[in-house]
Amino acid sequence: MDETTHDDVIVVGGGMVGSALAALLGEAGISVTVLDARPAPLTRDDVGHGLPAPRVSALTPVSQRLLTHLGAWPWIAERRVSPYQGMRVWDGEGSGEIAFAAADIGLRELGHIVENDVILAALEARLEALPSVTQRFGARVAGLTREADAQEVALDDGSRWTAPLVVAADGARSPLRHLAGIEVSERDTGHVALVTTLRCEDSHGGVARQVFLPDGPLAFLPLRVEADDRHCSIVWSTRPEHAEWLLALSPEAFAQALGDAMEGRLGKIEVLDEVHHFPLTQRHAREYTAPGLALIGDAAHSIHPLAGQGVNLGFLDAAVLAEEIIHARQRGVALGDARTLARYARRRRGDNAAMLALMDGFRLLFGAKHPALRLIRNIGLSSTDKLMPLKRIMIRQAAGERGELPAVCR
C-alpha cells in the first residue's frame, strides 16, 4: 500500500484525550484524521453493562462540561456514571483526617467516577457523526518527517499522511514523541498500582475515600451498579514487593487485606474481578511542541493516580489546543504556526507541572518514615479540616476550577 492522504490535522492516538481533541476540531469543520493502533473501535453495546470495567476515571465538573459541550455526556449518563459528593482522606499511621464536600463550594457533585470504556465509546460515537473526521484503526506509526510546511506520518503498511499539524496523543510511552526527538524527564515512583472492582457490606454514600498507608495510598472510588451503591473501584499504589505479596493472595485474603487497610470503614469486602496491576512512572516531556507537532495527555505528562487527575489534565490539554487552533484558523494563520503552538504550551505546561509537583510532594510526604514528618502531616490534615476558606480553595483546585479555563470548559 502506497498512498498519501492530506488533512488539516492528524491526531495519533484515539484514546479519550485524542478523541476529545478530534471532536472539538471536527465541530469547527477542520479536517482531522485519527490514527489509532487499536484494531477496531469499541463495541458500544458491550460497555456500561454488567460488571464495571477495571479502569475508571474520576471526572471533574470541568471535564464534564467539556463532554457535555461535545454531546457525549448524555450518552455516558445513559450507560453508567457514579456521582460522588464527598471525599475523605486520612493517614493510616496517625489520626490526621480531612473531609471535603461539594456543598462547601456550591456544587452538587465533586465529580463522577466513569469507566474509561464508557467515556471512549461516547467520544467514538461523536466522531462518527462528524463528516470532517476520519478514524483509521490498526494504524501503527513507523516514521515522522518534516516536509516543507507539513509533517508526514508514515505507517507500517506503507501509507503516508500529511498535515500542517500532527498531534501526539499516543500515551505515556508515545512512539511519536520518540520519533520527534522530544526528551522526557522520567521518575520511577517506586509504586505498582493494583486495580479491581469490589462490593462492600456498607454503602459508600457517594464518598470517595483514600487512606495513606506506609507502603502507599489506597483509594476506594464509589460506583453505582444497578442502583446498588455498595460497589467501589480501587486503586492501591504500593511497593513492588508488597504488590507481589498481595497478588499472590486468594480473593478472600485480598479482600481481608483491603478491609484491614480501610480500617473496616465499609464493612466486609468482596472482590468481584481479577486484580490488574501496572507500574507507576511519572513523566513530563521537556517540550510540549516541535515544528508542526504538539503533545497532549499522557504523551506530554503522566501523573501518579493518587489524586485522579490524569485524564482531566489531558482533557484540558485537548480543549486549550483546540481553542488555539480554531482561533488561528479564524485569523488565517497556518495551523502548525509556531506561535500558536507556543501559546498552547504556555497555557498548559505550568498547570501540569504544578500538579505533577504537588502529587510528587504528597507521595514523598506520606511515604516518609521519620516521626517528626508523621506528626507534621497529621497535624496538617486535621488543622486544614478546620479551615473552611482553605478547604474551599483545595476543593476548587481538585474540581479543576483553576486558572484561565478554555471556553468549552467554563
PDB file of all heavy atoms in Angstrom, residues 51-63:
ATOM      1  N   LEU A  51     -20.640  -6.105  35.030  1.00  0.00           N
ATOM      2  CA  LEU A  51     -19.598  -5.709  35.975  1.00  0.00           C
ATOM      3  C   LEU A  51     -18.801  -4.535  35.410  1.00  0.00           C
ATOM      4  O   LEU A  51     -18.406  -4.563  34.242  1.00  0.00           O
ATOM      5  CB  LEU A  51     -18.664  -6.894  36.221  1.00  0.00           C
ATOM      6  CG  LEU A  51     -17.605  -6.712  37.317  1.00  0.00           C
ATOM      7  CD1 LEU A  51     -18.256  -6.632  38.685  1.00  0.00           C
ATOM      8  CD2 LEU A  51     -16.606  -7.870  37.264  1.00  0.00           C
ATOM      9  N   PRO A  52     -18.560  -3.500  36.197  1.00  0.00           N
ATOM     10  CA  PRO A  52     -17.781  -2.362  35.694  1.00  0.00           C
ATOM     11  C   PRO A  52     -16.383  -2.775  35.251  1.00  0.00           C
ATOM     12  O   PRO A  52     -15.765  -3.668  35.829  1.00  0.00           O
ATOM     13  CB  PRO A  52     -17.720  -1.411  36.894  1.00  0.00           C
ATOM     14  CG  PRO A  52     -18.892  -1.773  37.736  1.00  0.00           C
ATOM     15  CD  PRO A  52     -19.057  -3.252  37.563  1.00  0.00           C
ATOM     16  N   ALA A  53     -15.887  -2.113  34.216  1.00  0.00           N
ATOM     17  CA  ALA A  53     -14.517  -2.351  33.756  1.00  0.00           C
ATOM     18  C   ALA A  53     -13.538  -1.897  34.838  1.00  0.00           C
ATOM     19  O   ALA A  53     -13.844  -0.983  35.618  1.00  0.00           O
ATOM     20  CB  ALA A  53     -14.267  -1.590  32.459  1.00  0.00           C
ATOM     21  N   PRO A  54     -12.354  -2.501  34.896  1.00  0.00           N
ATOM     22  CA  PRO A  54     -11.420  -2.181  35.992  1.00  0.00           C
ATOM     23  C   PRO A  54     -10.824  -0.782  35.906  1.00  0.00           C
ATOM     24  O   PRO A  54     -10.468  -0.216  36.938  1.00  0.00           O
ATOM     25  CB  PRO A  54     -10.333  -3.252  35.862  1.00  0.00           C
ATOM     26  CG  PRO A  54     -10.415  -3.728  34.447  1.00  0.00           C
ATOM     27  CD  PRO A  54     -11.861  -3.622  34.076  1.00  0.00           C
ATOM     28  N   ARG A  55     -10.688  -0.218  34.712  1.00  0.00           N
ATOM     29  CA  ARG A  55     -10.067   1.099  34.577  1.00  0.00           C
ATOM     30  C   ARG A  55     -11.154   2.165  34.557  1.00  0.00           C
ATOM     31  O   ARG A  55     -12.022   2.179  33.677  1.00  0.00           O
ATOM     32  CB  ARG A  55      -9.212   1.174  33.309  1.00  0.00           C
ATOM     33  CG  ARG A  55      -8.070   0.185  33.263  1.00  0.00           C
ATOM     34  CD  ARG A  55      -7.050   0.390  34.375  1.00  0.00           C
ATOM     35  NE  ARG A  55      -6.358   1.668  34.268  1.00  0.00           N
ATOM     36  CZ  ARG A  55      -5.233   1.861  33.574  1.00  0.00           C
ATOM     37  NH1 ARG A  55      -4.678   0.848  32.916  1.00  0.00           N
ATOM     38  NH2 ARG A  55      -4.662   3.038  33.546  1.00  0.00           N
ATOM     39  N   VAL A  56     -11.109   3.060  35.521  1.00  0.00           N
ATOM     40  CA  VAL A  56     -12.098   4.135  35.633  1.00  0.00           C
ATOM     41  C   VAL A  56     -11.370   5.460  35.773  1.00  0.00           C
ATOM     42  O   VAL A  56     -10.177   5.515  36.068  1.00  0.00           O
ATOM     43  CB  VAL A  56     -13.048   3.925  36.837  1.00  0.00           C
ATOM     44  CG1 VAL A  56     -13.766   2.587  36.743  1.00  0.00           C
ATOM     45  CG2 VAL A  56     -12.293   4.051  38.161  1.00  0.00           C
ATOM     46  N   SER A  57     -12.110   6.549  35.566  1.00  0.00           N
ATOM     47  CA  SER A  57     -11.575   7.898  35.759  1.00  0.00           C
ATOM     48  C   SER A  57     -12.507   8.682  36.662  1.00  0.00           C
ATOM     49  O   SER A  57     -13.728   8.491  36.628  1.00  0.00           O
ATOM     50  CB  SER A  57     -11.438   8.628  34.419  1.00  0.00           C
ATOM     51  OG  SER A  57     -10.439   8.043  33.613  1.00  0.00           O
ATOM     52  N   ALA A  58     -11.911   9.557  37.478  1.00  0.00           N
ATOM     53  CA  ALA A  58     -12.689  10.469  38.322  1.00  0.00           C
ATOM     54  C   ALA A  58     -12.789  11.791  37.575  1.00  0.00           C
ATOM     55  O   ALA A  58     -11.876  12.617  37.616  1.00  0.00           O
ATOM     56  CB  ALA A  58     -12.002  10.656  39.675  1.00  0.00           C
ATOM     57  N   LEU A  59     -13.892  11.982  36.862  1.00  0.00           N
ATOM     58  CA  LEU A  59     -14.054  13.168  36.030  1.00  0.00           C
ATOM     59  C   LEU A  59     -14.473  14.363  36.875  1.00  0.00           C
ATOM     60  O   LEU A  59     -15.433  14.295  37.653  1.00  0.00           O
ATOM     61  CB  LEU A  59     -15.104  12.922  34.946  1.00  0.00           C
ATOM     62  CG  LEU A  59     -14.781  11.850  33.912  1.00  0.00           C
ATOM     63  CD1 LEU A  59     -15.930  11.722  32.917  1.00  0.00           C
ATOM     64  CD2 LEU A  59     -13.481  12.169  33.188  1.00  0.00           C
ATOM     65  N   THR A  60     -13.784  15.479  36.708  1.00  0.00           N
ATOM     66  CA  THR A  60     -14.133  16.709  37.411  1.00  0.00           C
ATOM     67  C   THR A  60     -15.326  17.381  36.737  1.00  0.00           C
ATOM     68  O   THR A  60     -15.653  17.074  35.578  1.00  0.00           O
ATOM     69  CB  THR A  60     -12.953  17.690  37.396  1.00  0.00           C
ATOM     70  OG1 THR A  60     -12.691  18.069  36.029  1.00  0.00           O
ATOM     71  CG2 THR A  60     -11.707  17.078  38.004  1.00  0.00           C
ATOM     72  N   PRO A  61     -15.978  18.333  37.415  1.00  0.00           N
ATOM     73  CA  PRO A  61     -17.035  19.109  36.756  1.00  0.00           C
ATOM     74  C   PRO A  61     -16.541  19.820  35.499  1.00  0.00           C
ATOM     75  O   PRO A  61     -17.307  19.995  34.541  1.00  0.00           O
ATOM     76  CB  PRO A  61     -17.448  20.106  37.843  1.00  0.00           C
ATOM     77  CG  PRO A  61     -17.159  19.394  39.134  1.00  0.00           C
ATOM     78  CD  PRO A  61     -15.891  18.621  38.864  1.00  0.00           C
ATOM     79  N   VAL A  62     -15.264  20.220  35.475  1.00  0.00           N
ATOM     80  CA  VAL A  62     -14.711  20.880  34.291  1.00  0.00           C
ATOM     81  C   VAL A  62     -14.678  19.905  33.111  1.00  0.00           C
ATOM     82  O   VAL A  62     -15.067  20.254  31.988  1.00  0.00           O
ATOM     83  CB  VAL A  62     -13.305  21.433  34.595  1.00  0.00           C
ATOM     84  CG1 VAL A  62     -12.600  21.884  33.321  1.00  0.00           C
ATOM     85  CG2 VAL A  62     -13.398  22.597  35.570  1.00  0.00           C
ATOM     86  N   SER A  63     -14.246  18.679  33.343  1.00  0.00           N
ATOM     87  CA  SER A  63     -14.251  17.670  32.282  1.00  0.00           C
ATOM     88  C   SER A  63     -15.676  17.331  31.850  1.00  0.00           C
ATOM     89  O   SER A  63     -15.936  17.099  30.662  1.00  0.00           O
ATOM     90  CB  SER A  63     -13.535  16.402  32.753  1.00  0.00           C
ATOM     91  OG  SER A  63     -12.149  16.632  32.932  1.00  0.00           O
TER      92      SER A  63
END
